[in-house]
Amino acid sequence: MKLTRRSILAAAVFASFAASPFAAFAAKPLVMGFSQVGAESEWRTANTVSVKDAAKKAGVNLKFADAQQKQENQVKAIRSFIAQKVDVIAFSPVVESGWDTVLREAQAAKIPVILTDRAVNVTDPSLYVTFIGSDFVEEGRRAGKWLLEHVKKTSPDGTVNIVELQGTVGSAPAIDRKKGFEEVIASNAKLKVIRSQTGDFTRAKGKEVMEAFLKAEGKKINVLYAHNDDMAIGAIQAIEEAGMKPGKDITIISIDGVKGAFEAMIAGKLNVTVECSPLLGPQLMQIAADVVAGKPVPKRITTQEGVFPAEVAAKEFPNRKY
Ligand code: GYE
């Protein structure tokens, strides 16, 4: 390109314009309304940080609302995003059902909706553009497969009594993690789930429900399957307070792979965690930009993840990002 005096002048004018307050008019930032489930677990906190950081990096104007684990708050937030005419709505639905009406309102306002982390159960799949998140059924299967192998190795006599701490009632991860686990353990008649109750994905509830399990079943309990690490960590406290050794007297399996779980494994109190990545922010921002630009996106984007038994915990710990 030949640099004429005029082109240099034009570039200088443009540069000073871009640095001026009028620059905002030049590139309008994408506005995203994001409704988060709450702050119930270490996983959720890491997910929120990931979304906020990625928005900042991508220059996205993020309107963030915390629903405190209540669907009605999420519906309110989505309605307020519609009223504000945001470019795109993203949300992590606390439960699967009950979204048709509000999603139809978003569709009528021509605002695309992206699901992150958890799925919805709607009759019309055109009510959302895409769903980015883990395969929770597969996570449940991975937990079950680890247990089958463990039972094979330790070959205890008689039945293996399992207690289960479920996630939030009606949520996709609670439904799917239960289903995947049951599907796999059905192949060994020795494995029996003797108690199953929700701990709402929190430490406090995990501890409380485990206390009740221990009161009712005591030393009969061989295995705890917790739908997330936080509930397992709460349950570990309950087991210790009952004078038993978590990870030894009771084998503990959980899901997420947060730092707290790795610490518990290193301390010998947790046997395995199945990874579920909360670092969905960068992918969400990329997909949102594509959606708003009218580019086609896949209907389902599945997160890649692994399984971490206690034997590898110390070596893996420094690599953990959440
Ligand atoms: O496993 C749990 C959190 O939806 C995958 O929600 C997420 C789950 C996660 O509270 O810790």
Side-chain angles (χ1 to χ4, degrees), residues 13-29:
V13 169
F14 178 77
S16 65
F17 175 76
S20 79
F22 298 108
F25 296 108
K28 210 173 125 262

Side-chain angles (χ1 to χ4, degrees), residues 40-41 43-44 117-118 136 173 177 201 228 256 276:
E40 75 283 3
S41 63
W43 190 101
R44 189 64 54 197
D117 161 34
R118 296 183 182 178
F136 300 135
R177 286 170 182 171
F201 281 132
N228 83 341
D256 276 355
C276 177

Side-chain angles (χ1 to χ4, degrees), residues 33-289:
F34 185 90
S35 168
Q36 179 61 291
V37 169
E40 75 283 3
S41 63
E42 250 189 79
W43 190 101
R44 189 64 54 197
T45 311
N47 180 245
T48 293
V49 170
S50 173
V51 170
K52 287 186 175 170
D53 281 359
K56 212 178 271 166
K57 273 199 197 112
V60 167
N61 176 357
L62 183 74
K63 298 185 180 298
F64 183 91
D66 177 337
Q68 294 174 328
Q69 296 241 67
K70 291 207 178 77
Q71 182 170 34
E72 56 193 275
N73 291 344
Q74 289 202 294
V75 171
K76 260 189 222 154
I78 294 170
R79 290 207 167 116
S80 124
F81 297 148
I82 297 171
Q84 293 172 64
K85 297 191 167 59
V86 299
D87 297 313
V88 58
I89 292 172
F91 82 117
S92 176
V94 58
V95 291
E96 277 190 341
S97 49
W99 299 104
D100 294 76
T101 309
V102 73
L103 292 186
R104 250 183 256 125
E105 290 167 23
Q107 195 171 54
K110 296 198 169 54
I111 301 175
V113 172
I114 300 174
L115 303 177
T116 77
D117 161 34
R118 296 183 182 178
V120 294
N121 204 340
V122 286
T123 39
D124 175 5
S126 80
L127 290 175
Y128 64 90
V129 203
T130 182
F131 165 35
I132 310 170
S134 310
D135 181 341
F136 300 135
V137 179
E138 184 52 33
E139 289 171 352
R141 287 193 198 109
R142 287 179 181 157
K145 281 179 196 157
W146 183 90
L147 181 59
L148 284 184
E149 282 307 304
H150 178 77
V151 166
K152 227 193 259 168
K153 272 188 254 161
T154 50
S155 59
D157 306 322
T159 36
V160 176
N161 293 319
I162 305 164
V163 293
E164 179 181 31
L165 282 170
Q166 296 181 35
T168 301
V169 175
S171 71
I175 296 166
D176 294 351
R177 286 170 182 171
K178 182 170 177 42
K179 191 171 152 210
F181 184 77
E182 278 171 356
E183 181 191 305
V184 167
I185 64 159
S187 70
N188 184 342
K190 278 207 298 193
L191 306 187
K192 292 227 162 63
V193 178
I194 54 167
R195 299 249 161 188
S196 181
Q197 210 177 302
T198 182
D200 212 13
F201 281 132
T202 68
R203 283 186 194 203
K205 265 286 178 79
K207 180 170 188 257
E208 195 184 303
V209 178
M210 189 68 203
E211 279 166 1
F213 286 166
L214 286 163
K215 226 183 214 166
E217 307 289 350
K219 294 211 159 52
K220 259 173 71 188
I221 304 171
N222 306 112
V223 176
L224 163 66
Y225 168 45
H227 289 188
N228 83 341
D229 292 336
D230 284 75
M231 292 188 294
I233 291 166
I236 285 172
Q237 269 188 42
I239 296 168
E240 285 178 327
E241 284 172 17
M244 293 167 86
K245 286 202 173 65
K248 295 186 181 72
D249 298 332
I250 298 178
T251 299
I252 309 179
I253 305 166
S254 69
I255 300 184
D256 276 355
V258 297
K259 281 196 173 135
F262 277 77
E263 282 160 0
M265 287 195 287
I266 292 167
K269 298 177 181 181
L270 175 72
N271 301 78
V272 64
T273 186
V274 174
E275 187 181 34
C276 177
S277 176
L279 309 177
L280 306 175
Q283 236 175 343
L284 170 61
M285 297 309 148
Q286 180 57 53
I287 291 292

